[in-house]
Amino acid sequence: MAKPQPELASGGVSRTPIGRADLVRALVRCGGQAGAASLERFASLAGFVRRPVVLLPRVPIAESQPAPPLPLPAETAPAEVAVAPSAVSWYAVVQMTETPPAPDGQPDNGPVCLRGVPPLTADDLLPEASAPLLPDSPLLPWARLWPFLKQTLGATTAGPIDVPRVAGLLAEGRVLRHLPRLCRSRWAPEAQVLVDFDLRLEPFRQDFNDLCAGLLRLRGPLGLQILRLLEEPGGPVRPWGQATAPDRPWRPPAPGAPVLLCSDLGMLAGRDSGLHAAWLRFGRLLNARGIRPWVLAPVSPERLSPAVLRHFEVVCFTPDAPLRPCHAPGAPREAAALAELLAFLAPAVRVEPALLRAAVRHLAPRAARAGVEAAFWNHPDFVQAHGGVAALPDAAHRTRAGFARLTPELQRDAMGLLHRAHAHLPPAVLHEERLTAAGLANPSALAAQGAQVDRSARFLLSAAASFHGETAQLADAKAAWARRLLDRGDAAQRSRHPAYSVLYAAAYRQALLDGAPAVPDDGLDRQEILRALADPTASPTRWDLVQDSHTLRLVPDWTPLDRAHLRVSLLARLRVTSPLVAVQTPGPHGGLTMQPLGMDPVHLTRLAPEGLPIKVSTGSVEIVVDAFPRPPWARAIGRDAEGLWCDAEWLGQRVRLRWGALEHAPHWGWQPKGGVGVDTFGLYADFTVAGVTQRCRWIAPGSFRMGSPPDEVNRSSNETQHDVTLTRGYWLADSACTQALWQAVMGANPSAFKDDPANPVKKVSWNDVHTFLDRLNARVPGLDAGLP
C-alpha cells in the first residue's frame, strides 16, 4: 500500500497519515467492535489521547442584574477544543507600491523626480561673482613684524666714545681701564633665514613670502641668505624667489651669525615623528657652532616641549600673542577651539587658507589663532592639497552633527562666509554647500535664504537631468564629480534630494549593469535608481513574482498552463521597465543584490523566516514579501497556481478568500467575498435583516478579560471585569444592536428607547433579549448571535 502523500491544501499543515476515521476502519478490519472501550485502547496504541470536553454553564440572571459575561447557550453542541496555532509560514506579498503615472506626453519609465525638469544651460554654469569676495588677510601686520626681524637678525657694535659716562667716572675718582663707547644696533653683517614651505604649513605660505619680501626691502640682500628648505633640515636648499635656480647643499653660517627659521619644527607632524627628530638634530648642530636659532612657529604654545625649548628660541607666530620667546609650554586650549571650528566649516566642500583664516577670526578662539589654523589644516580627517583641504567622507558626516548644534547666528554667519569665499568658483560647489547647510541649520537661520536654497535644489535636479540624458556617453570628469558628490552626502542628505539617486545611477551605470558589487546607496531611492537605468525608448515587459517551494523567483509572463506545469504559485504580476531587479533582505547574511533581467527566470532569494521581510524593486513597483501563520479562523489554507487562499466558515458554508491587493491601499490582505472579509480587527461578516445591515466578528478561542476596568471614571453601569474563556470560535455583533435592527426583528415601539436609542438592550428585559436572539437566528440560520 502506497504511503499517503501530504496535500498542499490542508488545515494549516499536511494531513497526518493516520486520522481518527482510519482508526475506526482498522478496528473493524481487525474484528473488533467500534465501541468506546475498544476504540480507547486502539487509539492509545497509535499515540492518541482523549482530551476533556469543557462546557461553560449557562448562568441564570435576573432582570435587575448587569449583563453577564458572554455564556454559551446550553443547547449548543459540545465545545470544540482550541487547536494550537500552526508553525508553518505562508509567504505572501504584504505591500506593493507602484510608480505614479507620468503626465500626458512624458515617458512612464524615467525618474519621477526629473519629470518636467530641464537640463542645465550655459547660464546655470556661470559663477555668481567674477572675483573672490573674501580678500586675503595677513597673519600679522608689517608694523608688528619688522621690529621683531630687526631684533632677531641684528647685532650690536661699538660706536664713538661715551663722553658723558667718561666724565661721570672721572668725577667719581675711578680709574679708567678702557674707554666706554656707545652701542649701536645694526643689521648683522651675515644672517641666514630658512623657510619651510611644506604642505602642512600651506595656510602660512603667503605670510612667509611677505616676510621674506619685506626683509629684503628693509635690510637689503648684502650678507643675507634666504633659503627654501626642500627636504629635511640640513638637506638641499634653494634660494628663495628663484624657482629655476638649481638645488644646492645647505652650508651652516659663520659661528655666532643669527639664524631665523620659519617653520613648525615638525611639531605638527607629531612629537614622535621622524621629521621632528630631524629638527632636534639640526638644533643641536647649530648649538654646537655657537648659534642659538630663532624660530617663528605658527603653532600653539601647548605643542612646545622641553627638548624644543632647549635648542631653539621659539616665538609663536600668531596675532593674539606678543612676539617674545616662549620659556614653557602653554595650557591645553586648542582642542575645544578646533572642535568649534570643525563644526563651523562642516558644510564646506573645500576649505582654502583665506576661508580658514576668516573663520578663525570670526570665532576668535581663546587658543592661539595660528595654532588653531595649523591644527585644522593638519587634521587627520582632511585630505591636503596646495589650494585647500577637503574632508574625508566619513569625517564630514561626523562634523555635520556639530554644525546642527551651533546657534542660529553662527549657522547664518557660516553660510554667509561660504558664499563670500566660493561665489567666484563653479556654481556646483556653492550649491552643494548651501544644500548641506540647509539640511542641518535651524529654520530661523534660513529665513532670508529660502530662495537661494530652492535655486540650489533646482540646480541639482537640472544636473541630474543632464547626466541622465548622457548616461550612455557620460564623461569621466562628470562621473568623477557625481561620485565625489555622493561620497560627501550622508544618508539624510541623499534622502532629502532625489537627484542623488539619479546621479548614482549615472555614475555607476556600467558597473550596475555588469552585476558588479553594488556601491553603498544609503539614503537613496532604489526605485529612482532603477528607473534611471531604464532605456527611455524601451517597452515595458511583464513578469510574475512566484514562489517555487522555498524559493522566490521572477519569471516571464508565461501562460497559465506553463505556470501550472512548473508547480509554482503566483505572488504578484509586475510591469517592469528597468534592466535590473533589486532584492533587499535583512539579517546577518542579507543585503542588497542587483540582478539583470533577460529572457530566463531569475532566482531572487531563498524563502526563510530569518530572511524576512524581502523587498523587491523593479523601478515600476516595489514589493514587500513577508510570512505569517495560518489565521485561527481559517478552516483551510493553501496555495495554487493563482496564489494564496483560505476558507472561512459563515452560516454553515465555506467561503474562499483570496490573498491580493486591497482597494485604495498599497497593503495586501484577504480580499472580501460575499460580505465576508478581514480587516485590522480580524474576520468579519455582514448580514442584512429587513434592510438593516449588521456586522459580526469572529472571536478566536481562548481566554480574555471582559468588562470595564476598576479605575474607570463615571462608569455607566455596575458591571465588573470577568474572565471569559471560549473553547471554540464565536460570532459576536460588532457593536451593540442598533435601534433599527432591534425594531426590524422585534417590532418594538421606538419610544421605548428614547433614553438610550443607541443601545436598546439596556431598556428591555433579558427575556426580550433572548427572544431577539432566537428570532435573529431564525432570520440568519447558522448564526451564533451575541451581544458585547
Side-chain angles (χ1 to χ4, degrees), residues 65-436:
Q65 293 178 342
L70 296 174
L72 289 177
E75 62 275 12
T76 57
E80 302 175 3
V81 179
V83 181
S86 171
V88 177
S89 297
W90 298 88
Y91 300 94
V93 175
V94 297
Q95 184 176 348
M96 185 170 70
T97 306
E98 299 187 61
T99 302
D104 296 339
Q106 297 185 16
D108 284 338
N109 54 347
V112 176
C113 66
L114 299 184
R115 292 175 179 175
V117 177
L120 289 175
T121 61
D123 294 339
D124 295 330
L125 300 177
L126 295 177
E128 297 185 11
S130 57
L133 302 179
L134 189 66
D136 294 332
S137 57
L139 188 62
L140 281 178
W142 180 249
R144 286 191 59 191
L145 192 57
W146 78 263
F148 167 77
L149 297 176
K150 184 69 177 290
Q151 175 189 2
T152 304
L153 302 178
T156 302
T157 58
I161 297 175
D162 190 352
V163 177
R165 187 168 182 190
V166 170
L169 293 175
L170 292 176
E172 295 176 358
R174 296 186 182 184
V175 179
L176 299 178
R177 298 183 183 277
H178 62 274
L179 294 176
R181 293 181 177 274
L182 294 174
C183 294
R184 299 181 58 184
S185 297
R186 61 183 179 86
W187 293 104
E190 181 182 352
Q192 190 176 90
V193 179
L194 297 177
V195 187
D196 189 356
F197 284 112
D198 192 85
L199 187 59
R200 68 185 182 279
L201 296 172
E202 181 67 19
F204 313 101
R205 173 184 291 270
Q206 188 60 41
D207 298 296
F208 290 162
N209 284 329
D210 293 342
L211 182 147
C212 297
L215 180 61
L216 279 177
R217 291 193 306 268
L218 183 65
R219 183 193 182 282
L222 185 61
L224 177 64
Q225 289 183 324
I226 303 180
L227 305 175
R228 175 180 179 178
L229 294 175
L230 300 179
E231 296 178 4
E232 291 185 353
V237 295
R238 181 187 302 163
W240 175 83
Q242 302 178 25
T244 59
D247 302 346
R248 66 187 187 188
W250 173 79
R251 294 180 180 178
V259 175
L260 175 63
L261 307 176
C262 296
S263 174
D264 67 326
L265 303 181
M267 289 182 285
L268 294 174
R271 294 184 180 181
D272 299 333
S273 63
L275 180 62
H276 184 57
W279 274 106
L280 293 179
R281 290 194 300 268
F282 186 70
R284 288 192 292 267
L285 174 63
L286 293 176
N287 294 164
R289 295 183 62 86
I291 300 173
R292 185 168 176 82
W294 287 72
V295 182
L296 198 60
V299 298
S300 301
E302 63 185 84
R303 289 185 178 267
L304 303 179
S305 64
V308 170
L309 298 177
R310 187 180 308 117
H311 302 293
F312 302 94
E313 292 288 344
V314 182
V315 177
C316 291
F317 190 23
T318 180
D320 52 344
L323 296 178
R324 291 197 299 264
C326 297
H327 301 291
R333 298 179 178 177
E334 188 179 277
L338 179 60
E340 186 179 17
L341 182 62
L342 289 171
F344 187 76
L345 295 177
V349 172
R350 178 186 174 94
V351 180
E352 300 83 1
L355 173 60
L356 176 58
R357 183 157 300 172
V360 172
R361 291 192 173 185
H362 183 81
L363 295 176
R366 297 179 60 188
R369 297 182 186 178
V372 176
E373 282 189 44
F376 183 94
W377 188 271
N378 291 275
H379 199 278
D381 290 342
F382 289 99
V383 178
Q384 296 177 346
H386 285 290
V389 294
L392 297 172
D394 295 339
H397 302 166
R398 292 194 301 268
T399 55
R400 286 171 185 171
F403 182 84
R405 292 191 294 267
L406 295 177
T407 62
E409 292 75 14
L410 284 179
Q411 292 174 349
R412 184 165 49 248
D413 295 342
M415 296 175 67
L417 190 61
L418 290 175
H419 180 267
R420 294 196 303 273
H422 295 157
H424 65 289
L425 297 179
V429 175
L430 191 57
H431 288 312
E432 180 183 351
E433 293 174 342
R434 191 175 291 153
L435 291 177
T436 302

Side-chain angles (χ1 to χ4, degrees), residues 542-560:
R542 297 285 181 176
W543 291 76
D544 288 347
L545 184 68
V546 300
Q547 176 184 348
D548 184 1
S549 184
H550 289 282
T551 302
L552 189 65
R553 298 183 184 275
L554 200 62
V555 300
D557 188 17
W558 294 343
T559 63

